[in-house]
């Protein structure tokens, strides 16, 4: 009897402890929080995950003033110039009458992006100013009212899709042009009526975009930090479901909706809302632990914080190798890296960006194998750079060549065998030498670079590996 009681007590305690171990997060029942725990497993999301490199394009009527008004320099982000006290709202709202980008050639943009190595692109259909680059049926403030007239979104979607580049559409929830738009929750009855009309307008436009451009792969939302929008958790959630039902496989990031407690990106229970984490904007995590096991993207500007065209970039401008390193760092932690371009008011991509695209493209031609479809490696990071991995291939992406010419690799006991190492750039083999063991009993190896090797750019060494035969099971268990 006593024995049974002990057994029951033990079992109870064991169950509670096991449950606690599983549920580290709180579990408040949420109607509009995450609808899935963990990553999506379908083919569309897998395709997105393997992109590695993307291109962002911010384009709109803000490209006409290009960050200046009547000779004055706007120090903010060029696409925000309408909010500047020096810029009369009326002047901004009439810019579309001059929008006639005669140099715009979507095929040229798409070709350049392809050569850079981008696998997907994100295009601003409508930024905060509300100007639509497609002929929306729900407002007159569109490209159709400009002298240019033609549908720009369609040209971009078709040209990039033809190059084999997946298109995602950027859409701003903030709309400074629509008269019913509010950033704060409605207070008066009139406010409520206005905001209802804005919600319907937003829904109509999103349905319109998915209807007009059925080949797109995702929607990239922005401006959803408005309190009015966050207050509509149920309605926005329903809209998301509707969009997903219309367009199976649609990829939507965490910047679309808040849960019913106003939590964005990660819900009240700490679970990611929608398909990937969009908080890494102009910022990179330092380690995989910062990422909560989520898919994620990092969108990055070339100068400090300019998305739309600014005629005069001031301050530090990132170089090709800066951007390549950020991309590799992102990919080494299972993220996608997206480089922003801001074409000018005529539709030209500025020379600085063209040059960057070419240089990044040259690097990608040689090293893309280390980027596309690769993922985080469990092999411990070293100071010389980043590991990426695909199947049995381990990629050593080197940004800081050690003075001793030896690239350290640490393999835990019973891990993998390193078979052969070669430069990706010319297949030249490099020696792998044992460097003993450390106190954790991990095997240390050096990939020994030839003394004559002159570093002129970041380089990649691919190492063929093999799971250790007899230790395989032990290692698999150790990973759990
Ligand atoms: C937004 C826009 O306001 C901006 O113009 C640009 O389109 C960019 C891609 O998105 O800006 C943000 C949004 C979120 C953060 C910072 C700037 N954030 O979360 O840190």
């Amino acid at each position: 009897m006593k024995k049974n009681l002990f057994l029951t007590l033990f079992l109870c305690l064991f169950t509670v402890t096991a449950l606690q171990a599983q549920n580290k997060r709180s579990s408040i029942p949420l109607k509009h929080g995450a609808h899935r725990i963990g990553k999506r497993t379908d083919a569309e999301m897998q395709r997105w995950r393997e992109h590695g490199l993307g291109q962002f394009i911010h384009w709109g009527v803000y490209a006409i003033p290009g960050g200046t008004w009547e000779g004055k320099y706007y120090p903010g982000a060029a696409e925000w110039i309408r909010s500047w006290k020096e810029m009369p709202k009326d002047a901004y709202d009439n810019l579309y009458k001059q929008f006639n980008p005669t140099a715009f050639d979507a095929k040229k943009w798409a070709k350049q992006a392809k050569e850079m190595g981008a696998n997907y692109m994100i295009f601003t259909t409508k930024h905060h100013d509300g100007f639509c680059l497609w002929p929306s049926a729900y407002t007159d403030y569109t490209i159709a009212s400009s002298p240019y007239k033609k549908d720009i979104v369609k040209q971009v979607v078709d040209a990039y899709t033809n190059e084999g580049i997946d298109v995602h559409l950027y859409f701003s929830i903030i709309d400074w042009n629509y008269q019913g738009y509010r950033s704060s929750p409605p207070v008066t009855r009139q406010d409520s009526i206005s905001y209802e009309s804005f919600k319907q307008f937003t829904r109509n436009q999103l349905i319109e975009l998915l209807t007009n451009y059925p080949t797109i792969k995702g929607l990239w939302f922005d401006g959803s930090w408005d309190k009015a929008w966050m207050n509509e958790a149920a309605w926005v959630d329903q809209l998301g479901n509707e969009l997903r039902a219309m367009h199976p496989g649609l990829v939507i990031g965490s910047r679309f909706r808040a849960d019913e407690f106003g939590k964005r990106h990660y819900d009240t229970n700490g679970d990611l809302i929608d398909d990937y984490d969009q908080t890494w904007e102009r910022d990179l995590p330092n380690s995989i632990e910062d990422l909560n096991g989520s898919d994620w993207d990092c969108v990055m500007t070339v100068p400090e914080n300019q998305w739309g065209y600014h005629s005069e970039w001031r301050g530090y401008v990132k170089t090709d190798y800066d951007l390549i390193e950020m991309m590799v760092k992102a990919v080494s932690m299972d993220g996608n890296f997206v480089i922003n371009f801001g074409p000018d008011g005529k539709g030209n991509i500025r020379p600085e960006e063209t040059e960057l695209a070419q240089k990044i493209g040259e690097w990608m031609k040689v090293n893309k194998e280390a980027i596309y479809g690769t993922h985080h490696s469990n092999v411990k990071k070293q100071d010389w750079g980043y590991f990426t991995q695909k199947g049995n291939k381990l990629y050593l992406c080197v940004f800081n060549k050690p003075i001793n010419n030896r690239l350290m690799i640490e393999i835990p006991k019973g891990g993998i065998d390193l078979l052969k190492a070669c430069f990706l750039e010319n297949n030249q083999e490099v020696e792998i030498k044992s460097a003993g063991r450390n106190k954790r009993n991990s095997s240390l190896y050096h990939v020994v670079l030839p003394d004559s090797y002159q570093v002129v750019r970041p380089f990649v060494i691919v190492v063929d590996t093999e799971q250790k035969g007899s230790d395989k099971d032990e290692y698999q268990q150790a990973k759990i």
Side-chain angles (χ1 to χ4, degrees):
M1 184 63 196
K2 221 175 183 178
K3 212 173 158 190
N4 269 345
L5 191 71
F6 265 124
L7 196 67
T8 318
L9 267 175
F10 173 77
L11 277 176
C12 279
L13 200 71
F14 179 80
T15 317
V16 169
T17 321
L19 274 177
Q20 274 174 349
Q22 279 170 20
N23 299 327
K24 274 180 277 154
R25 295 166 167 167
S26 55
S27 52
I28 298 162
L30 292 174
K31 279 201 184 124
H32 307 294
H35 297 313
R36 180 197 60 250
I37 307 294
K39 293 180 180 181
R40 256 171 71 170
T41 54
D42 57 296
E44 285 84 0
M45 196 65 201
Q46 184 55 26
R47 183 180 165 94
W48 182 89
R49 204 171 276 137
E50 294 192 354
H51 285 327
L53 179 63
Q55 179 192 42
F56 210 147
I57 292 194
H58 273 73
W59 203 35
V61 296
Y62 41 79
I64 299 173
T68 62
W69 186 248
E70 291 182 336
K72 286 182 293 247
Y73 178 90
Y74 174 52
E79 71 282 2
W80 276 80
I81 196 168
R82 188 182 183 278
S83 65
W84 188 31
K85 60 178 188 329
E86 303 289 340
M87 173 103 205
K89 304 272 179 280
D90 190 50
Y92 188 95
D93 293 340
N94 280 299
L95 285 172
Y96 74 95
K97 293 180 183 162
Q98 304 166 42
F99 194 62
N100 192 15
T102 45
F104 169 58
D105 179 352
K107 291 189 185 125
K108 202 168 147 191
W109 289 9
K111 199 159 179 289
Q112 185 188 76
K114 184 77 185 174
E115 276 166 18
M116 178 172 81
N119 280 322
Y120 76 122
M121 74 91 69
I122 308 165
F123 187 64
T124 50
T125 58
K126 173 174 101 167
H127 205 265
H128 307 336
D129 60 7
F131 184 69
C132 304
L133 290 179
W134 82 101
S136 176
Y138 303 100
T139 169
D140 289 333
Y141 194 47
T142 80
I143 193 67
S145 309
S146 75
Y148 183 75
K149 289 198 171 58
K150 293 178 289 261
D151 184 347
I152 284 177
V153 174
K154 181 168 172 45
Q155 294 177 62
V156 168
V157 170
D158 290 348
Y160 278 78
T161 306
N162 283 338
E163 285 286 356
I165 299 175
D166 285 357
V167 179
H168 291 241
L169 299 182
Y170 167 107
F171 184 91
S172 168
I173 299 302
I174 295 174
D175 187 323
W176 295 326
N177 183 264
Y178 190 81
Q179 85 291 339
Y181 165 74
R182 300 284 184 282
S183 60
S184 314
V187 181
T188 64
R189 207 179 109 72
Q190 190 47 51
D191 265 354
S192 297
I193 295 168
S194 296
Y195 200 66
E196 274 315 302
S197 88
F198 172 71
K199 280 158 60 187
Q200 289 317 318
F201 169 66
T202 303
R203 173 176 174 269
N204 287 336
Q205 286 206 317
L206 289 168
I207 291 173
E208 186 178 47
L209 286 172
L210 292 183
T211 308
N212 289 4
Y213 315 107
T215 58
I216 65 143
K217 306 292 183 191
L219 294 170
W220 203 98
F221 286 97
D222 197 10
S224 54
W225 54 79
D226 272 348
K227 292 281 180 294
W229 186 255
M230 287 164 60
N231 208 27
E232 298 286 346
W235 185 84
V236 180
D237 192 10
Q238 168 54 33
L239 174 60
N241 292 339
E242 193 180 353
L243 299 173
R244 288 183 191 279
M246 258 188 90
H247 199 101
L250 190 70
V251 174
I252 298 178
S254 64
R255 211 189 270 182
F256 174 51
R257 62 187 180 91
D259 75 6
E260 57 263 52
F261 294 102
K263 285 281 282 176
R264 299 174 64 236
H265 300 290
Y266 286 87
D267 69 15
T268 302
N269 291 325
D271 296 312
L272 180 73
I273 299 178
D274 292 325
D275 304 329
Y276 64 97
D277 182 343
Q278 265 181 294
T279 59
W280 298 99
E281 166 161 327
R282 295 196 299 122
D283 193 13
L284 283 167
N286 258 327
S287 81
I288 193 103
E289 282 76 34
D290 296 341
L291 291 157
N292 309 294
S294 304
D295 282 311
W296 62 285
D297 74 348
C298 167
V299 293
M300 187 56 72
T301 51
V302 173
E304 186 179 295
N305 184 27
Q306 295 293 341
W307 300 90
Y309 175 74
H310 201 303
S311 55
E312 196 193 325
W313 279 350
R314 289 189 184 166
Y316 184 68
V317 176
K318 293 172 196 74
T319 67
D320 48 345
Y321 296 150
D322 290 341
L323 294 163
I324 289 169
E325 178 162 1
M326 289 173 177
M327 168 186 70
V328 172
K329 187 172 178 183
V331 171
S332 78
M333 291 182 280
D334 289 342
N336 283 328
F337 189 69
V338 185
I339 304 173
N340 182 72
F341 287 60
D344 70 16
K346 285 284 157 218
N348 292 305
I349 293 193
R350 65 196 300 151
E352 299 95 319
E353 289 171 352
T354 294
E355 200 185 322
L356 279 174
Q358 281 163 356
K359 286 180 168 169
I360 294 169
E362 279 164 28
W363 191 90
M364 287 297 276
K365 265 184 205 86
V366 176
N367 299 298
K368 58 179 183 284
E369 190 187 317
I371 306 297
Y372 300 155
T374 60
H375 54 83
H376 174 72
S377 166
N378 284 326
V379 177
K380 188 179 168 197
K381 190 187 173 314
Q382 300 292 333
D383 289 338
W384 45 253
Y386 310 88
F387 287 107
T388 63
Q389 196 183 329
K390 187 178 188 177
N392 283 338
K393 288 190 188 293
L394 184 66
Y395 298 95
L396 283 53
C397 308
V398 185
F399 288 84
N400 308 298
K401 189 183 80 141
I403 285 177
N404 67 3
N405 279 337
R406 287 164 176 258
L407 305 172
M408 166 79 90
I409 306 178
E410 177 183 331
I411 304 292
K413 183 174 179 290
I416 49 179
D417 279 329
L418 309 182
L419 305 178
K420 186 183 171 195
C422 291
F423 281 101
L424 262 194
E425 59 193 35
N426 57 9
N427 279 330
Q428 190 196 323
E429 193 169 345
V430 257
E431 211 181 344
I432 305 172
K433 280 192 170 166
S434 167
R437 290 175 179 270
N438 66 8
K439 70 168 187 182
R440 286 182 294 276
N441 219 5
S442 298
S443 302
L444 304 177
Y445 298 95
H446 285 159
V447 168
V448 184
L449 300 171
D451 282 338
S452 58
Y453 187 67
Q454 298 282 328
V455 182
V456 284
R457 62 182 76 84
F459 60 96
V460 178
I461 288 182
V462 53
V463 180
D464 291 329
T465 71
E466 189 180 66
Q467 202 61 240
K468 269 203 203 302
S470 56
D471 287 331
K472 200 172 169 183
D473 290 342
E474 188 192 330
Y475 178 60
Q476 291 301 344
Q477 277 176 17
K479 278 206 300 191
I480 301 165

